[in-house]
Amino acid sequence: MAQVKQEHPWYYESSKASPQQALAELRTAWDRCFKKVSSQPRFKKKGASGDSFYLEQGTKSKPEINNDGKRVKLPKIGWVRLHEPLPITAFHNCVISRKAYRWFIAFKYEIEKPVTPPDRPTVGVDIGIKELAVCSRRPSLCQCQSLSSDEPSNETPATACQQASQRI
């Protein structure tokens, strides 16, 4: 990669992570092919299949792609406005993709797991064929009878479903 960058100075205008990630994905594809897990990789034309590129900034322990809730600051691109607000956090890498002339960003970030109280009651439910549901704390619910075509009913399927769900 270093030799190619010396020959073509425009490589310095883009992120270093994009071509490195493309080569890593190509290596993974060929490794899967040689292990007989998948077929030979097919090279795709630009614009014909989902265009995407990979961006990386900082390290996993110190991520440097920041957002302020409504915008994301991407390396070499700058601030990009988001369609929906996000929690204010930093992340290490992201994938920008284009589908149907629209751009999307995908990234991972860590959140703290909410603490659940240890004395929370639990209920076991077994869904079966003979009985609709057998609960560990309640008597079982009987299976609803289906309506045959020759028996007219004043009850719509939606009301029958609501009544059955209220019994649960």
Side-chain angles (χ1 to χ4, degrees):
M1 188 57 74
Q3 295 172 351
V4 174
K5 280 191 172 186
Q6 290 174 357
E7 295 173 13
H8 305 285
W10 54 268
Y11 263 103
Y12 292 104
E13 296 173 9
S14 66
S15 173
K16 68 175 180 129
S18 295
Q20 288 176 354
Q21 184 68 19
L23 291 174
E25 290 172 359
L26 179 65
R27 181 185 177 108
T28 304
W30 279 111
D31 288 344
R32 290 175 52 86
C33 176
F34 294 140
K35 292 177 184 175
K36 308 285 187 211
V37 175
S38 64
S39 61
Q40 181 176 350
R42 287 177 273 157
F43 298 98
K44 296 160 186 80
K45 182 180 175 184
K46 177 182 167 187
S49 60
D51 293 335
S52 66
F53 62 96
Y54 177 85
L55 290 175
E56 183 178 280
Q57 186 75 27
T59 61
K60 288 184 182 178
S61 61
K62 188 180 175 195
E64 293 183 9
I65 298 179
N66 297 314
N67 72 3
D68 63 0
K70 297 179 182 179
R71 304 178 302 163
V72 175
K73 186 172 185 180
L74 300 172
K76 304 280 186 178
I77 296 174
W79 287 99
V80 176
R81 188 179 48 159
L82 299 172
H83 180 69
E84 56 186 58
L86 296 172
I88 298 173
T89 183
F91 48 93
H92 172 61
N93 54 25
C94 63
V95 176
I96 314 265
S97 59
R98 184 183 69 152
K99 291 182 184 171
Y101 301 107
R102 303 188 91 179
W103 292 92
F104 300 91
I105 182 170
F107 59 89
K108 296 182 285 188
Y109 63 94
E110 294 182 13
I111 59 171
E112 292 183 22
K113 188 176 178 181
V115 179
T116 56
D119 57 344
R120 195 167 123 185
T122 58
V123 175
V125 178
D126 183 24
I127 299 174
I129 297 172
K130 184 177 174 186
E131 300 288 333
L132 175 65
V134 179
C135 299
S136 62
R137 294 188 177 191
R138 291 185 180 173
S140 62
L141 300 171
C142 65
Q143 184 80 335
C144 297
Q145 298 293 324
S146 62
L147 295 173
S148 62
S149 60
D150 53 306
E151 294 178 16
S153 174
N154 297 337
E155 202 173 64
T156 64
T159 24
C161 182
Q162 283 179 346
Q163 289 175 354
S165 66
Q166 287 173 356
R167 282 185 254 153
I168 295 174

Tab-separated table of all heavy atoms in Angstrom, residues 5 11-20 53-57 75-76:
chain	number	residue	atom	x	y	z
A	5	LYS	N	0.745	4.534	-2.659
A	5	LYS	CA	0.520	5.899	-2.196
A	5	LYS	C	1.605	6.849	-2.709
A	5	LYS	O	1.333	8.014	-2.965
A	5	LYS	CB	0.467	5.947	-0.669
A	5	LYS	CG	-0.866	5.517	-0.111
A	5	LYS	CD	-0.942	5.829	1.355
A	5	LYS	CE	-2.331	5.585	1.869
A	5	LYS	NZ	-2.492	5.991	3.247
A	11	TYR	N	-4.169	9.517	-2.851
A	11	TYR	CA	-4.519	8.572	-1.791
A	11	TYR	C	-4.497	9.252	-0.410
A	11	TYR	O	-5.195	8.843	0.499
A	11	TYR	CB	-3.537	7.396	-1.758
A	11	TYR	CG	-4.023	6.178	-2.496
A	11	TYR	CD1	-3.526	5.857	-3.745
A	11	TYR	CD2	-4.972	5.330	-1.937
A	11	TYR	CE1	-3.960	4.741	-4.413
A	11	TYR	CE2	-5.411	4.213	-2.596
A	11	TYR	CZ	-4.903	3.919	-3.841
A	11	TYR	OH	-5.334	2.812	-4.495
A	12	TYR	N	-3.693	10.283	-0.251
A	12	TYR	CA	-3.582	10.957	1.040
A	12	TYR	C	-4.812	11.804	1.355
A	12	TYR	O	-4.980	12.252	2.470
A	12	TYR	CB	-2.315	11.816	1.085
A	12	TYR	CG	-1.056	10.978	1.095
A	12	TYR	CD1	-0.271	10.836	-0.039
A	12	TYR	CD2	-0.680	10.313	2.253
A	12	TYR	CE1	0.869	10.060	-0.013
A	12	TYR	CE2	0.468	9.541	2.275
A	12	TYR	CZ	1.234	9.416	1.138
A	12	TYR	OH	2.357	8.638	1.159
A	13	GLU	N	-5.663	12.037	0.361
A	13	GLU	CA	-6.874	12.817	0.588
A	13	GLU	C	-7.976	11.991	1.256
A	13	GLU	O	-8.932	12.544	1.761
A	13	GLU	CB	-7.386	13.379	-0.733
A	13	GLU	CG	-6.432	14.360	-1.371
A	13	GLU	CD	-6.884	14.772	-2.758
A	13	GLU	OE1	-8.017	14.423	-3.142
A	13	GLU	OE2	-6.109	15.441	-3.446
A	14	SER	N	-7.854	10.675	1.227
A	14	SER	CA	-8.880	9.815	1.826
A	14	SER	C	-8.332	9.165	3.094
A	14	SER	O	-7.151	9.226	3.392
A	14	SER	CB	-9.322	8.746	0.834
A	14	SER	OG	-8.254	7.872	0.569
A	15	SER	N	-9.223	8.513	3.812
A	15	SER	CA	-8.840	7.844	5.050
A	15	SER	C	-8.002	6.607	4.750
A	15	SER	O	-8.269	5.884	3.792
A	15	SER	CB	-10.099	7.439	5.823
A	15	SER	OG	-9.759	6.664	6.930
A	16	LYS	N	-7.017	6.340	5.590
A	16	LYS	CA	-6.168	5.164	5.391
A	16	LYS	C	-6.915	3.867	5.680
A	16	LYS	O	-6.552	2.809	5.206
A	16	LYS	CB	-4.935	5.248	6.278
A	16	LYS	CG	-5.267	5.116	7.758
A	16	LYS	CD	-4.056	5.078	8.606
A	16	LYS	CE	-4.492	4.954	10.047
A	16	LYS	NZ	-3.889	3.933	10.765
A	17	ALA	N	-7.991	3.953	6.450
A	17	ALA	CA	-8.707	2.751	6.869
A	17	ALA	C	-9.506	2.121	5.737
A	17	ALA	O	-9.697	0.907	5.714
A	17	ALA	CB	-9.632	3.084	8.031
A	18	SER	N	-9.976	2.913	4.791
A	18	SER	CA	-10.824	2.376	3.720
A	18	SER	C	-10.104	1.340	2.867
A	18	SER	O	-10.600	0.227	2.711
A	18	SER	CB	-11.358	3.510	2.850
A	18	SER	OG	-12.198	4.326	3.607
A	19	PRO	N	-8.941	1.642	2.270
A	19	PRO	CA	-8.285	0.596	1.478
A	19	PRO	C	-7.769	-0.560	2.327
A	19	PRO	O	-7.770	-1.714	1.884
A	19	PRO	CB	-7.137	1.326	0.774
A	19	PRO	CG	-6.961	2.605	1.483
A	19	PRO	CD	-8.247	2.921	2.151
A	20	GLN	N	-7.345	-0.290	3.558
A	20	GLN	CA	-6.879	-1.375	4.427
A	20	GLN	C	-8.022	-2.323	4.758
A	20	GLN	O	-7.837	-3.547	4.758
A	20	GLN	CB	-6.284	-0.804	5.712
A	20	GLN	CG	-4.954	-0.129	5.506
A	20	GLN	CD	-4.425	0.516	6.775
A	20	GLN	OE1	-5.113	0.558	7.791
A	20	GLN	NE2	-3.206	1.035	6.709
A	53	PHE	N	-18.066	2.365	2.382
A	53	PHE	CA	-16.666	2.501	2.763
A	53	PHE	C	-16.559	2.560	4.267
A	53	PHE	O	-17.526	2.841	4.972
A	53	PHE	CB	-15.995	3.715	2.085
A	53	PHE	CG	-16.589	5.038	2.436
A	53	PHE	CD1	-16.037	5.804	3.445
A	53	PHE	CD2	-17.676	5.527	1.739
A	53	PHE	CE1	-16.573	7.037	3.764
A	53	PHE	CE2	-18.211	6.761	2.046
A	53	PHE	CZ	-17.664	7.512	3.062
A	54	TYR	N	-15.379	2.282	4.750
A	54	TYR	CA	-15.092	2.106	6.167
A	54	TYR	C	-14.271	3.289	6.656
A	54	TYR	O	-13.327	3.702	5.978
A	54	TYR	CB	-14.331	0.796	6.325
A	54	TYR	CG	-13.873	0.457	7.702
A	54	TYR	CD1	-14.716	-0.193	8.588
A	54	TYR	CD2	-12.586	0.747	8.120
A	54	TYR	CE1	-14.283	-0.542	9.850
A	54	TYR	CE2	-12.145	0.401	9.377
A	54	TYR	CZ	-12.998	-0.239	10.233
A	54	TYR	OH	-12.571	-0.588	11.484
A	55	LEU	N	-14.623	3.835	7.809
A	55	LEU	CA	-13.850	4.918	8.415
A	55	LEU	C	-13.462	4.528	9.831
A	55	LEU	O	-14.217	3.855	10.525
A	55	LEU	CB	-14.663	6.207	8.467
A	55	LEU	CG	-14.929	6.895	7.140
A	55	LEU	CD1	-15.848	8.079	7.342
A	55	LEU	CD2	-13.646	7.332	6.495
A	56	GLU	N	-12.284	4.976	10.224
A	56	GLU	CA	-11.759	4.644	11.548
A	56	GLU	C	-11.010	5.859	12.077
A	56	GLU	O	-10.306	6.537	11.341
A	56	GLU	CB	-10.812	3.454	11.379
A	56	GLU	CG	-10.227	2.914	12.632
A	56	GLU	CD	-9.360	1.706	12.321
A	56	GLU	OE1	-9.896	0.616	12.129
A	56	GLU	OE2	-8.134	1.895	12.257
A	57	GLN	N	-11.149	6.122	13.366
A	57	GLN	CA	-10.429	7.227	13.984
A	57	GLN	C	-10.171	6.890	15.438
A	57	GLN	O	-11.073	6.462	16.148
A	57	GLN	CB	-11.249	8.517	13.884
A	57	GLN	CG	-10.558	9.749	14.367
A	57	GLN	CD	-9.501	10.243	13.401
A	57	GLN	OE1	-9.586	10.005	12.216
A	57	GLN	NE2	-8.507	10.916	13.911
A	75	PRO	N	-13.858	11.590	10.054
A	75	PRO	CA	-12.521	12.002	9.613
A	75	PRO	C	-12.494	12.243	8.108
A	75	PRO	O	-13.132	11.520	7.351
A	75	PRO	CB	-11.634	10.820	10.012
A	75	PRO	CG	-12.548	9.680	10.212
A	75	PRO	CD	-13.874	10.244	10.584
A	76	LYS	N	-11.788	13.266	7.683
A	76	LYS	CA	-11.609	13.688	6.298
A	76	LYS	C	-12.880	14.226	5.660
A	76	LYS	O	-12.838	14.751	4.569
A	76	LYS	CB	-11.081	12.539	5.414
A	76	LYS	CG	-9.803	11.919	5.887
A	76	LYS	CD	-8.638	12.765	5.495
A	76	LYS	CE	-7.361	12.036	5.867
A	76	LYS	NZ	-6.193	12.763	5.486
